[in-house]
């Protein structure tokens, strides 16, 4: 199945060009997508949510049974070709499933480790023999998978791993080391483990729990996700057959980083699903909780929150489905390893953007959900406190948000230098344009026209900041983390705002247009501040004055009555007691 997106796009292209329309949006889900969504949602509501308390008591037999049930329903094999037992669907389907599972964070983590972190590396890097041996079991849920990259001394610096694999004369490897914080560690059967061959060549291995010398440490005592297993993984002189090297010796970084690209994209889907559920929870509570003789949902301060949490989720959802459409457009229905790998690499920038935006959006939404619940939000009688604790780790795993922020402008700059993205030429053009006299404005009058102009301005600012940073710092750009992080925030806001506007335009206005108008308005404010700080750090004297004058010229969005817009969205959230899009 494809999503009818025939345009082949390049990752990051949207930053330098006007977006190619149409983009994929949640409103374009096919009947088949809706059916998968319904299956996944019903499974989570009927079988996973009622099991949460038992999962939190570390009932891993139950966790395994739920993984197996997901397999029976076809939810574990959406990305997997039929030849290995999968259902071979498009990436939109994977997003739809991820969102549904995201309602239950602990199980979503178990599920994500299985589908994102264990299945993906086999799909992209496995030999035919490895795929035949492991994929069918992972897809049915008879085999539970885990991904063991981190160590106590190397998390973000994953290539600094100390685990060692020593090549033996018979071609096997003796692998020793200790991995930390391994999701599904307490009950997984198969581990994708990263170790350095002969202390040097970073390599991925497929290691079965049954191999002598493999053991799991104690469960970690965590802030949240109590229903997800997290343990160390200890390997003492484990003999690994040569046939269990995944990918090439010395190319483990390709496995590690490409898997994380897809993991980040799927994590964003789970965050999106979690947020949708929380909007409904907040709206339901606000409708029934009375203070001063009336439901708290009638108070402007609470209505503002109800609108805002829905609006922020709208932007993430728009980015998520747009990106899924871009990947599907690139894959054109192919499930071949090489095609999947190059699509994941192509949209690595968008995956990092989504990971940061979705995890931070979810934390915001869940914090406001606690706040709307008042004292009840702080006690265990209501699910709001569990959600709040469970979500915090999303900003830490799958690459911390700091690392993902640095990756966004870093990858763009690398592509520009390699010539894959004509970013340098675009940045120069923008700089010349901004430094010459202002042309007369030609305001259009179509729907969302003002927002489109603001986004065009935001793109110019993003290119001005990135282009100036590349010129100013050259090869040492990577050392300028504050500027890079600021540039990332601008780029994330551009992608979010544009995705929201494109989605709203395709949905033909109404509440969609109101959400998009708020998103663009607020993004423009943040972009201006971030750009001012970054430009001021890069230049002084006359150059600084010129750059800041150019920024003022391009960032002058017309005033928008966001109070009125949010009120209308709040009416919909409170009225429907759910996420209204
Ligand atoms: C519940 C849970 C489940 C997990 N599951 C898995 C799993 O299944 N498999 C697995 O392999 N790992 C897993 N992890 C580990 C997780 O991926 C790491 O914790 C994460 O990558 C961060 O590494 P760290 O904890 O060593 O933090 P550090 O790398 O020590 O980072 C600490 C802080 O410093 C910042 N920082 C680090 N380096 C830089 C830099 N160069 N520039 C700027 N800032 C920097 C970070 O952003 C962070 O804010 C899990 C962790 C948890 C908590």
């Amino acid at each position: 199945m494809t999503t009818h997106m025939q345009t082949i796009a390049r990752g990051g292209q949207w930053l330098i060009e006007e977006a190619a329309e149409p983009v994929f949006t949640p409103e374009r889900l096919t009947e088949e997508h809706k059916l998968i969504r319904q299956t996944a949602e019903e499974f989570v509501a009927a079988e996973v949510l009622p099991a949460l308390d038992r999962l939190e008591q570390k009932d891993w037999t139950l966790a395994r049974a739920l993984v197996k049930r997901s397999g029976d329903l076809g939810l574990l094999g959406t990305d997997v070709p039929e030849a290995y037992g999968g259902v071979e669907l498009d990436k939109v389907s994977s997003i739809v499933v991820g969102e549904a599972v995201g309602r239950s964070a602990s199980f979503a983590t178990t599920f994500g480790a299985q589908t994102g972190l264990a299945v993906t590396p086999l799909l992209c890097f496995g030999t035919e023999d490895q795929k035949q041996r492991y994929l069918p079991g992972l897809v049915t849920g008879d085999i539970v998978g885990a991904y063991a990259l981190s160590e106590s001394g190397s998390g973000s610096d994953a290539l600094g791993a100390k685990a060692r694999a020593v090549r033996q004369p018979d071609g096997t490897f003796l692998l020793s080391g200790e991995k930390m914080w391994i999701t599904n560690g307490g009950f997984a059967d198969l581990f994708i483990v990263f170790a350095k061959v002969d202390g040097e060549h970073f390599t991925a291995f497929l290691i079965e729990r049954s191999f002598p010398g493999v053991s799991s440490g104690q469960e970690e005592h965590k802030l949240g996700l109590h229903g997800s297993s997290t343990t160390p993984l200890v390997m003492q002189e484990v003999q690994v057959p040569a046939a269990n090297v995944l990918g090439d010796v010395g190319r483990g970084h390709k496995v590690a980083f490409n898997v994380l690209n897809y993991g980040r994209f799927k994590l964003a889907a789970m965050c999106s699903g979690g947020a949708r559920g929380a909007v409904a929870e907040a709206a339901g509570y606000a409708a029934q909780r009375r203070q001063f003789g009336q439901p708290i949902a009638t108070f402007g301060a609470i209505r503002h929150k109800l609108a805002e949490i829905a609006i922020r989720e709208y932007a993430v959802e728009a980015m998520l489905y747009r990106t899924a459409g871009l990947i599907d457009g690139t894959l054109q229905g192919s499930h071949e390893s090489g095609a999947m790998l190059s699509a994941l690499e192509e949209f690595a920038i968008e995956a990092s953007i989504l990971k940061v935006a979705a995890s931070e959006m979810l934390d915001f939404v869940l914090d406001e959900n606690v706040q709307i619940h008042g004292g009840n939000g702080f006690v265990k009688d209501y699910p709001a406190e569990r959600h709040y604790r469970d979500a915090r780790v999303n900003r830490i795993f799958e690459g911390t948000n700091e690392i993902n922020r640095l990756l966004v402008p870093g990858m763009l700059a690398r592509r520009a230098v390699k010539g894959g993205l004509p970013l340098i030429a675009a940045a120069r053009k923008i700089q010349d344009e901004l430094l010459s006299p202002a042309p007369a404005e030609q305001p259009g009058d179509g729907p969302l026209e003002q927002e489109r102009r603001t986004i065009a301005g935001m793109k110019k600012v993003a290119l001005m900041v990135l282009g100036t940073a590349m010129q100013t710092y050259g090869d040492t750009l990577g050392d300028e983390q504050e500027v890079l992080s600021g540039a990332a925030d601008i780029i994330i806001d551009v992608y979010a705002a544009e995705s929201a506007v494109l989605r709203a335009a395709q949905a033909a206005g109404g509440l969609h247009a109101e959400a998009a108008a708020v998103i663009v308005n607020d993004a423009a404010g943040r972009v201006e501040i971030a750009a001012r700080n970054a430009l001021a750090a890069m230049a002084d004297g006359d150059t600084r004055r010129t750059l800041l004058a150019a920024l003022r010229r391009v960032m002058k969005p017309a005033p928008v009555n966001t109070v009125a817009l949010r009120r209308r969205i709040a009416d919909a959230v409170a009225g429907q007691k759910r996420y209204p899009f």
Side-chain angles (χ1 to χ4, degrees):
M1 185 180 72
T2 69
T3 51
H4 315 297
M5 303 299 300
Q6 297 306 323
T7 330
I8 307 263
R10 304 295 315 269
Q13 191 181 13
W14 45 268
L15 189 61
I16 49 177
E17 287 174 11
E18 220 173 293
E21 295 184 55
V23 296
F24 199 84
T25 72
E27 290 68 41
R28 297 182 61 181
L29 290 179
T30 62
E31 286 311 309
E32 195 176 358
H33 292 137
K34 288 179 187 162
L35 202 63
I36 299 160
R37 168 175 275 179
Q38 190 185 343
T39 305
E41 284 182 351
E42 284 174 4
F43 163 62
V44 170
E47 301 182 48
V48 181
L49 294 179
L52 264 184
D53 287 334
R54 280 174 61 200
L55 288 178
E56 295 211 341
Q57 300 304 313
K58 320 283 183 223
D59 182 344
W60 301 145
T61 308
L62 176 60
R64 282 195 78 104
L66 290 172
V67 173
K68 181 85 183 78
R69 272 290 291 150
S70 316
D72 293 345
L73 294 168
L75 304 177
L76 298 175
T78 52
D79 295 312
V80 179
E82 285 174 5
Y84 309 111
V87 277
E88 214 173 276
L89 301 177
D90 59 6
K91 297 298 166 245
V92 170
S93 303
S94 298
I95 288 304
V96 162
V97 171
E99 283 193 307
V101 174
R103 292 286 307 279
S104 156
S106 279
F107 182 68
T109 308
T110 302
F111 185 95
Q114 177 89 355
T115 59
L117 302 182
V119 167
T120 311
L122 270 160
L123 268 184
C124 293
F125 297 94
T127 61
E128 185 55 31
D129 160 62
Q130 290 169 345
K131 289 180 185 171
Q132 294 285 359
R133 270 193 285 151
Y134 296 117
L135 278 176
L138 286 166
V139 167
T140 55
D142 289 308
I143 298 177
V144 173
Y147 180 82
L149 176 64
S150 306
E151 297 182 6
S152 60
S154 58
S156 302
D157 181 19
L159 301 185
K162 288 206 162 57
R164 294 283 182 273
V166 180
R167 209 191 293 257
Q168 303 299 295
D170 64 357
T172 62
F173 294 84
L174 269 194
L175 199 153
S176 297
E178 184 167 336
K179 297 289 172 178
M180 275 289 282
W181 305 295
I182 305 311
T183 297
N184 294 349
F187 59 92
D189 311 293
L190 177 69
F191 298 89
I192 315 274
V193 175
F194 294 83
K196 285 185 176 160
V197 170
D198 302 330
E200 210 178 323
H201 310 289
F202 195 69
T203 305
F205 294 89
L206 293 156
I207 297 202
E208 297 178 22
R209 181 184 290 281
S210 59
F211 289 180
V214 176
S215 61
S216 298
Q218 296 292 309
E219 285 291 338
E220 301 292 348
H221 297 284
K222 306 189 295 273
L223 171 69
L225 292 185
H226 295 158
S228 158
S229 170
T230 314
T231 72
L233 173 70
V234 183
M235 290 148 302
Q236 289 172 312
E237 304 219 319
V238 177
Q239 190 169 21
V240 189
N244 277 33
V245 171
L246 182 62
D248 297 326
V249 170
R251 307 277 291 163
H253 60 286
K254 292 289 272 184
V255 182
F257 298 142
N258 281 299
V259 167
L260 288 178
N261 285 338
Y262 197 36
R264 287 165 188 161
F265 174 62
K266 288 196 164 187
L267 180 81
M270 290 173 176
C271 291
S272 172
R276 287 222 317 239
V279 172
E281 214 169 271
Y285 184 84
Q288 57 89 17
R289 174 70 176 171
R290 297 177 74 86
Q291 289 292 283
F292 303 96
Q294 59 196 86
I296 61 168
T298 58
F299 299 129
I302 298 294
R303 294 179 88 72
H304 174 93
K305 292 183 193 302
L306 292 176
E308 186 61 13
I309 58 180
I311 289 168
R312 292 203 188 193
E313 160 60 2
Y314 183 87
V316 164
E317 219 179 34
M319 281 190 276
L320 189 57
Y321 282 88
R322 180 183 184 187
T323 309
L326 289 171
I327 299 177
D328 283 332
T330 301
L331 284 171
Q332 300 277 317
S334 169
H335 285 83
E336 193 263 317
S337 310
M340 168 104 168
L341 191 57
S342 57
L344 295 186
E345 276 181 338
E346 188 62 49
F347 296 101
I349 297 168
E350 287 76 6
S352 284
I353 288 177
L354 274 164
K355 196 275 175 177
V356 172
S359 60
E360 294 181 4
M361 174 279 295
L362 181 62
D363 271 3
F364 174 83
V365 167
L366 296 178
D367 185 65
E368 289 294 57
N369 189 31
V370 167
Q371 195 66 17
I372 289 169
H373 279 73
N376 283 329
F378 202 70
V379 297
K380 290 188 187 291
D381 305 6
Y382 287 80
E385 73 89 33
R386 175 193 275 162
H387 297 323
Y388 179 80
R389 287 184 291 100
D390 283 351
R392 184 61 182 84
V393 74
N394 291 321
R395 285 161 52 199
I396 296 171
F397 58 22
E398 306 263 359
T400 65
N401 282 17
E402 290 72 31
I403 296 290
N404 273 291
R405 272 197 167 80
L406 296 172
L407 284 173
V408 170
M411 287 189 278
L412 280 166
R414 254 195 317 281
R415 285 186 193 188
V417 170
K418 281 187 180 164
L421 202 63
L423 193 141
I424 297 173
R428 285 217 180 95
K429 190 166 155 261
I430 298 292
Q431 280 167 340
D432 291 347
E433 182 191 320
L434 291 177
L435 299 177
S436 55
E441 290 241 334
Q442 294 174 339
D445 56 1
L448 292 164
E449 203 55 51
Q450 179 180 313
E451 284 71 24
R452 286 179 194 270
R453 273 201 306 280
T454 304
I455 289 166
M458 283 162 56
K459 284 191 186 184
K460 287 181 183 173
V461 171
L463 288 172
M464 178 162 76
V465 169
L466 200 53
T468 309
M470 288 171 72
Q471 283 163 9
T472 308
Y473 302 119
D475 291 344
T476 62
L477 177 60
D479 299 334
E480 302 298 327
Q481 292 199 347
E482 298 91 329
V483 168
L484 283 173
S485 303
D489 285 340
I490 295 170
I491 294 162
I492 292 169
D493 261 326
V494 168
Y495 195 51
E498 186 179 65
S499 303
V501 164
L502 292 172
R503 176 181 177 186
Q506 285 173 217
L511 211 55
H512 288 264
E514 284 157 359
V518 175
I519 289 163
V520 173
N521 179 76
D522 291 9
R526 287 189 298 269
V527 163
E528 186 175 3
I529 293 171
R532 203 186 314 138
N533 290 334
L535 292 171
M538 288 188 257
D540 48 23
D542 281 350
T543 314
R544 178 191 284 181
R545 268 190 293 281
T546 312
L547 284 169
L548 294 179
L551 174 65
R552 276 193 300 278
R553 207 173 96 200
V554 77
M555 288 308 293
K556 45 178 183 185
V560 175
N561 182 353
T562 54
V563 171
L565 293 174
R566 280 197 176 87
R567 279 186 182 165
R568 284 201 282 278
I569 293 163
D571 286 345
V573 176
Q576 298 174 32
K577 296 198 187 65
R578 65 177 180 87
Y579 176 66
F581 297 101

